[in-house]
Amino acid sequence: MTIDNFPSQLQPIIQQGYLAREFSAGLQSRIAFRAIADREVFPNRVGETITKTRKGLKSPVTTPMNPSQNVNFDNGLTPSTWSVEQYTLTINQYGDTIDLNVVSEGVGIADQFLANANTNGIQALQSLDRIARNALFGGGVGGVGGYMGGNTCVTTALGSSSTQVAVDDIRGFERLVNSTGQVVSVAQSAGMTVTIGSNAYTLVSVTADSVNTSTAPLGQSGTLTLSTSVSVSDGAAGSPVVSSTAPLVLRPNNRLTTAQLVAPTGNYGSSNYVTGDTLGIQTVLAAVAALRMNNVPTIDGAYHCYLDDQQMLGLFRDGDFKYLYRGAYGSDTYRAGSVVELLGVRFIPTTEAPLQASLGAGVIHRAIVCGQGALIEGDYSGALELPDSERSLVENVDGIMMVTREPLDRLKQMIAQSWYWIGGFALPTDATVNPTIIPTSTNSYLKRGVVIESL
């Protein structure tokens, strides 16, 4: 690999690896959603959607064999097999570039060169982290919805009983996993059981609104069509609409919908202060209990809780949290304003946590508590094997390709510094893990994460 075509001021930086280290420093500046993804290498091309199949388990055997049937070659046994389920992953390319003018930068060209690399690294990190977050909360193309899916509310009250109900978010209602483990649309199945208000109905089709009015982050408003008419009481505006296979969404004080969250009142520290529906440690522990009941594995010994700093502030104001943390780890936690680990949960503050505009009580914050396997990252195998070009410097930093191109313009003045990543994120389901396999498990398709909504 030759670097003779680059300006002399930059050749020592490239030769000693400063450029790659500066780009890598940007990539490692924040631990966030991408950190929980299991990495897999996929050989498919850009733009392709691939379907992956993974096996389930078999039900335990608790009935003894009948000695009188222990005959012949099969010994009275009937072969059984494990179930399968599928998830889809789309491979796309993401990237950006920045130019460096050798003439205009003058004596500062080396500093600007490294600054551009660092900026590209930070941008690449934030881009992949946001793509991972969107997949985690919002799902992806061809999936069963993200960890916010299957949990919404009625937006337009029914004047009379009807088979159609307008809802704020149709994610998690559009597709389901059939008996053979395939993800199919609701219209191609026997229907999905959905609880609207206080009663269960069978969902037969979903229609997205041409003009999206959803208030949920990454949400899509639409209409649910049921096999039987929904009563006026169940179809009241704001009534909860929850799929039978929806991921668990927790809210303080057992609020049924996002709009029911109640704001704190009074002045903090005074006798008239009421916490309202801010994040408390008991809600986090309820999420941990749900993950453990589904036997979700931890990540390096603890579940990860991604939350923003306002939710973290709610923890510090929570009485149970103060009691649990009293005397533990000294007072560094309160001085630093962060929590490292508590009761099997690793709290990770992030500025990428999705926020929702106020529905009357204040901005809605969402944390997610998740375990290993909640997210799959697919990296394009071809990007890892790209040869170095004679006219560019290519570095592979954690699956992200950093490309530095020598000046090719007529005046040999413009150096291009670029990055790209080819891959995608997917949410694998655990639909085959049911109470027959694990008695304490739930019916949720997505069992490896729990979303917590609070003010």
Side-chain angles (χ1 to χ4, degrees), residues 7-277:
S8 58
Q9 306 100 305
L10 305 183
Q11 292 180 21
I13 293 175
I14 297 173
Q15 193 170 28
Q16 298 180 40
Y18 290 154
L19 184 63
R21 286 199 292 272
E22 198 70 19
F23 186 83
S24 179
L27 286 177
Q28 299 172 5
S29 63
R30 187 89 177 197
I31 299 174
F33 296 105
R34 191 191 181 200
I36 65 169
D38 292 340
R39 305 279 286 273
E40 295 187 22
V41 177
F42 290 90
N44 294 61
R45 298 177 180 176
V46 176
E48 290 186 353
T49 297
I50 58 179
T51 300
K52 297 284 287 186
T53 301
R54 68 177 184 178
K55 72 179 186 68
L57 300 173
K58 299 204 308 182
S59 301
V61 176
T62 57
T63 303
M65 295 175 59
N66 189 338
S68 63
Q69 295 180 354
N70 190 5
V71 294
N72 301 324
F73 290 105
D74 59 11
N75 300 107
L77 297 174
T78 301
S80 63
T81 185
W82 33 264
S83 55
V84 297
E85 53 187 306
Q86 298 179 339
Y87 65 92
T88 58
L89 189 147
T90 300
I91 302 295
N92 290 307
Q93 180 171 245
Y94 305 86
D96 201 5
T97 187
I98 186 171
D99 289 334
L100 174 65
N101 191 308
V102 175
V103 175
S104 64
E105 296 302 330
V107 295
I109 181 176
D111 292 338
Q112 188 65 34
F113 193 53
L114 292 176
N116 287 351
N118 181 263
T119 301
N120 274 349
I122 294 174
Q123 182 192 32
L125 169 73
Q126 189 176 17
S127 299
L128 266 66
D129 190 56
R130 191 164 297 184
I131 296 167
R133 180 205 68 180
N134 291 349
L136 193 63
F137 283 92
V141 178
V144 294
Y147 279 94
M148 285 174 56
N151 199 309
T152 186
C153 65
V154 177
T155 54
T156 304
L158 295 180
S160 59
S161 58
S162 173
T163 58
Q164 293 189 327
V165 176
V167 297
D168 184 62
D169 193 358
I170 60 174
R171 290 174 302 173
F173 298 97
E174 300 171 283
R175 287 173 288 273
L176 50 73
V177 180
N178 64 15
S179 58
T180 61
Q182 295 178 312
V183 178
V184 299
S185 68
V186 170
Q188 296 175 318
S189 68
M192 175 191 294
T193 301
V194 175
T195 299
I196 302 177
S198 303
N199 295 291
Y201 300 87
T202 300
L203 176 67
V204 294
S205 67
V206 178
T207 304
D209 289 343
S210 57
V211 178
N212 186 14
T213 59
S214 176
T215 60
L218 309 172
Q220 172 62 59
S221 60
T223 301
L224 306 183
T225 301
L226 298 308
S227 61
T228 57
S229 295
V230 177
S231 66
V232 174
S233 58
D234 286 338
S239 291
V241 181
V242 182
S243 164
S244 61
T245 58
L248 180 61
V249 175
L250 295 176
R251 304 176 185 89
N253 301 312
N254 297 318
R255 306 298 182 189
L256 296 179
T257 66
T258 309
Q260 292 181 5
L261 294 173
V262 176
T265 58
N267 297 319
Y268 178 70
S270 64
S271 59
N272 66 340
Y273 178 74
V274 179
T275 59
D277 294 330

